[in-house]
Amino acid sequence: MYFAALLARTEDGWKASDTELDDVETLSDLTDLARDASVDEDTVLVFIEQEDAWFGVVRVDGEEDPRIYVSNASAAARSSYGEILLTDELLGREPGAEDTIAALEELVGLDGTEDDEPEAPDNHNADTDDDGPDADVVPAGPLGDTGVLSDLGLPEAELLMLRTDALAEIADALGAAEVLETVR
């Protein structure tokens, strides 16, 4: 079960709106959604939460690049909405590298044999199998800009300690708990 909301800062305080992410496929789509909710190009926060598994905060300030924080990257990687936030840049990998490697392996047939050679026996130990293509790339735990909310009233150390009901605690620190609760 997911919850997603936008918090847009205005001169009168925060304005909250719930949001549907069904049409959002990329971080760029999510950023555009946030900018559309912006008042005078002021700060907009996008909150995404999957029950108690993970939460993410995307901060958009005008035309600047979005700032992202994810509470548990490995849990988010198993989520279609989490994958939107886990960009190549955030994960510290070359953009498109995974797609390039997969395409080359398919093109060359990298099974370790020549065309006429029999296939080598599979000595791969099941205990060493990773959990998927990103298992060695996506770290467990927090990832991203831990200072994303520092200037808004939530220091890095407090953000890192949040676990359950994190979005309510973030909204409380920002002085936006009541407006967030209206869309929850």
Side-chain angles (χ1 to χ4, degrees), residues 33-47:
L33 185 71
R35 286 190 178 120
D36 289 345
S38 177
V39 177
D40 296 327
E41 295 190 8
D42 211 340
T43 301
V44 176
L45 302 174
V46 180
F47 292 150

PDB file of all heavy atoms in Angstrom, residues 33-47:
ATOM      1  N   LEU A  33       5.527  17.036 -12.139  1.00  0.00           N
ATOM      2  CA  LEU A  33       4.328  17.044 -11.296  1.00  0.00           C
ATOM      3  C   LEU A  33       4.509  18.008 -10.123  1.00  0.00           C
ATOM      4  O   LEU A  33       3.617  18.791  -9.799  1.00  0.00           O
ATOM      5  CB  LEU A  33       4.048  15.623 -10.794  1.00  0.00           C
ATOM      6  CG  LEU A  33       2.786  15.395  -9.997  1.00  0.00           C
ATOM      7  CD1 LEU A  33       1.561  15.497 -10.889  1.00  0.00           C
ATOM      8  CD2 LEU A  33       2.833  14.003  -9.364  1.00  0.00           C
ATOM      9  N   ALA A  34       5.683  17.967  -9.508  1.00  0.00           N
ATOM     10  CA  ALA A  34       5.976  18.863  -8.387  1.00  0.00           C
ATOM     11  C   ALA A  34       6.012  20.319  -8.840  1.00  0.00           C
ATOM     12  O   ALA A  34       5.457  21.198  -8.174  1.00  0.00           O
ATOM     13  CB  ALA A  34       7.301  18.476  -7.738  1.00  0.00           C
ATOM     14  N   ARG A  35       6.652  20.576  -9.964  1.00  0.00           N
ATOM     15  CA  ARG A  35       6.738  21.961 -10.462  1.00  0.00           C
ATOM     16  C   ARG A  35       5.361  22.512 -10.803  1.00  0.00           C
ATOM     17  O   ARG A  35       5.101  23.699 -10.630  1.00  0.00           O
ATOM     18  CB  ARG A  35       7.667  22.031 -11.663  1.00  0.00           C
ATOM     19  CG  ARG A  35       9.118  21.910 -11.251  1.00  0.00           C
ATOM     20  CD  ARG A  35      10.084  22.203 -12.378  1.00  0.00           C
ATOM     21  NE  ARG A  35      11.440  22.108 -11.876  1.00  0.00           N
ATOM     22  CZ  ARG A  35      12.347  21.265 -12.335  1.00  0.00           C
ATOM     23  NH1 ARG A  35      12.062  20.454 -13.340  1.00  0.00           N
ATOM     24  NH2 ARG A  35      13.563  21.242 -11.807  1.00  0.00           N
ATOM     25  N   ASP A  36       4.471  21.653 -11.285  1.00  0.00           N
ATOM     26  CA  ASP A  36       3.099  22.089 -11.582  1.00  0.00           C
ATOM     27  C   ASP A  36       2.356  22.510 -10.311  1.00  0.00           C
ATOM     28  O   ASP A  36       1.476  23.361 -10.355  1.00  0.00           O
ATOM     29  CB  ASP A  36       2.309  20.980 -12.284  1.00  0.00           C
ATOM     30  CG  ASP A  36       2.780  20.744 -13.711  1.00  0.00           C
ATOM     31  OD1 ASP A  36       3.509  21.612 -14.261  1.00  0.00           O
ATOM     32  OD2 ASP A  36       2.427  19.684 -14.274  1.00  0.00           O
ATOM     33  N   ALA A  37       2.727  21.935  -9.171  1.00  0.00           N
ATOM     34  CA  ALA A  37       2.080  22.260  -7.902  1.00  0.00           C
ATOM     35  C   ALA A  37       2.724  23.455  -7.206  1.00  0.00           C
ATOM     36  O   ALA A  37       2.206  23.971  -6.215  1.00  0.00           O
ATOM     37  CB  ALA A  37       2.125  21.050  -6.967  1.00  0.00           C
ATOM     38  N   SER A  38       3.851  23.906  -7.732  1.00  0.00           N
ATOM     39  CA  SER A  38       4.617  24.983  -7.117  1.00  0.00           C
ATOM     40  C   SER A  38       3.897  26.324  -7.235  1.00  0.00           C
ATOM     41  O   SER A  38       3.269  26.638  -8.237  1.00  0.00           O
ATOM     42  CB  SER A  38       5.984  25.086  -7.791  1.00  0.00           C
ATOM     43  OG  SER A  38       6.712  26.169  -7.267  1.00  0.00           O
ATOM     44  N   VAL A  39       4.024  27.111  -6.182  1.00  0.00           N
ATOM     45  CA  VAL A  39       3.510  28.476  -6.166  1.00  0.00           C
ATOM     46  C   VAL A  39       4.722  29.399  -6.259  1.00  0.00           C
ATOM     47  O   VAL A  39       5.595  29.371  -5.405  1.00  0.00           O
ATOM     48  CB  VAL A  39       2.718  28.747  -4.869  1.00  0.00           C
ATOM     49  CG1 VAL A  39       2.246  30.182  -4.815  1.00  0.00           C
ATOM     50  CG2 VAL A  39       1.558  27.775  -4.741  1.00  0.00           C
ATOM     51  N   ASP A  40       4.798  30.179  -7.320  1.00  0.00           N
ATOM     52  CA  ASP A  40       5.914  31.112  -7.522  1.00  0.00           C
ATOM     53  C   ASP A  40       7.281  30.424  -7.468  1.00  0.00           C
ATOM     54  O   ASP A  40       8.238  30.966  -6.918  1.00  0.00           O
ATOM     55  CB  ASP A  40       5.868  32.238  -6.487  1.00  0.00           C
ATOM     56  CG  ASP A  40       4.627  33.100  -6.633  1.00  0.00           C
ATOM     57  OD1 ASP A  40       4.166  33.268  -7.779  1.00  0.00           O
ATOM     58  OD2 ASP A  40       4.121  33.589  -5.601  1.00  0.00           O
ATOM     59  N   GLU A  41       7.355  29.215  -8.022  1.00  0.00           N
ATOM     60  CA  GLU A  41       8.594  28.440  -8.060  1.00  0.00           C
ATOM     61  C   GLU A  41       9.208  28.218  -6.687  1.00  0.00           C
ATOM     62  O   GLU A  41      10.425  28.113  -6.547  1.00  0.00           O
ATOM     63  CB  GLU A  41       9.608  29.063  -9.021  1.00  0.00           C
ATOM     64  CG  GLU A  41       9.158  29.041 -10.458  1.00  0.00           C
ATOM     65  CD  GLU A  41      10.251  29.434 -11.435  1.00  0.00           C
ATOM     66  OE1 GLU A  41      11.420  29.587 -11.030  1.00  0.00           O
ATOM     67  OE2 GLU A  41       9.922  29.571 -12.617  1.00  0.00           O
ATOM     68  N   ASP A  42       8.371  28.155  -5.660  1.00  0.00           N
ATOM     69  CA  ASP A  42       8.853  27.887  -4.309  1.00  0.00           C
ATOM     70  C   ASP A  42       9.023  26.375  -4.120  1.00  0.00           C
ATOM     71  O   ASP A  42       8.718  25.588  -5.001  1.00  0.00           O
ATOM     72  CB  ASP A  42       7.883  28.469  -3.271  1.00  0.00           C
ATOM     73  CG  ASP A  42       8.599  28.904  -2.005  1.00  0.00           C
ATOM     74  OD1 ASP A  42       9.737  28.435  -1.756  1.00  0.00           O
ATOM     75  OD2 ASP A  42       8.030  29.718  -1.263  1.00  0.00           O
ATOM     76  N   THR A  43       9.479  25.978  -2.971  1.00  0.00           N
ATOM     77  CA  THR A  43       9.769  24.589  -2.651  1.00  0.00           C
ATOM     78  C   THR A  43       8.524  23.711  -2.696  1.00  0.00           C
ATOM     79  O   THR A  43       7.476  24.074  -2.163  1.00  0.00           O
ATOM     80  CB  THR A  43      10.395  24.498  -1.243  1.00  0.00           C
ATOM     81  OG1 THR A  43      11.594  25.272  -1.243  1.00  0.00           O
ATOM     82  CG2 THR A  43      10.705  23.070  -0.856  1.00  0.00           C
ATOM     83  N   VAL A  44       8.674  22.554  -3.316  1.00  0.00           N
ATOM     84  CA  VAL A  44       7.642  21.517  -3.295  1.00  0.00           C
ATOM     85  C   VAL A  44       8.319  20.226  -2.845  1.00  0.00           C
ATOM     86  O   VAL A  44       9.406  19.882  -3.319  1.00  0.00           O
ATOM     87  CB  VAL A  44       6.986  21.310  -4.677  1.00  0.00           C
ATOM     88  CG1 VAL A  44       5.988  20.158  -4.641  1.00  0.00           C
ATOM     89  CG2 VAL A  44       6.301  22.581  -5.136  1.00  0.00           C
ATOM     90  N   LEU A  45       7.680  19.537  -1.929  1.00  0.00           N
ATOM     91  CA  LEU A  45       8.159  18.240  -1.471  1.00  0.00           C
ATOM     92  C   LEU A  45       7.198  17.173  -1.954  1.00  0.00           C
ATOM     93  O   LEU A  45       5.986  17.330  -1.844  1.00  0.00           O
ATOM     94  CB  LEU A  45       8.235  18.202   0.058  1.00  0.00           C
ATOM     95  CG  LEU A  45       9.108  19.259   0.722  1.00  0.00           C
ATOM     96  CD1 LEU A  45       8.966  19.182   2.235  1.00  0.00           C
ATOM     97  CD2 LEU A  45      10.563  19.093   0.309  1.00  0.00           C
ATOM     98  N   VAL A  46       7.746  16.099  -2.475  1.00  0.00           N
ATOM     99  CA  VAL A  46       6.945  14.938  -2.844  1.00  0.00           C
ATOM    100  C   VAL A  46       7.261  13.862  -1.821  1.00  0.00           C
ATOM    101  O   VAL A  46       8.425  13.519  -1.607  1.00  0.00           O
ATOM    102  CB  VAL A  46       7.300  14.426  -4.260  1.00  0.00           C
ATOM    103  CG1 VAL A  46       6.437  13.220  -4.615  1.00  0.00           C
ATOM    104  CG2 VAL A  46       7.156  15.525  -5.290  1.00  0.00           C
ATOM    105  N   PHE A  47       6.233  13.362  -1.169  1.00  0.00           N
ATOM    106  CA  PHE A  47       6.374  12.276  -0.207  1.00  0.00           C
ATOM    107  C   PHE A  47       5.832  11.004  -0.843  1.00  0.00           C
ATOM    108  O   PHE A  47       4.734  11.004  -1.394  1.00  0.00           O
ATOM    109  CB  PHE A  47       5.566  12.530   1.061  1.00  0.00           C
ATOM    110  CG  PHE A  47       6.063  13.661   1.924  1.00  0.00           C
ATOM    111  CD1 PHE A  47       5.178  14.384   2.697  1.00  0.00           C
ATOM    112  CD2 PHE A  47       7.397  13.988   2.003  1.00  0.00           C
ATOM    113  CE1 PHE A  47       5.605  15.408   3.518  1.00  0.00           C
ATOM    114  CE2 PHE A  47       7.847  15.017   2.813  1.00  0.00           C
ATOM    115  CZ  PHE A  47       6.946  15.725   3.572  1.00  0.00           C
TER     116      PHE A  47
END
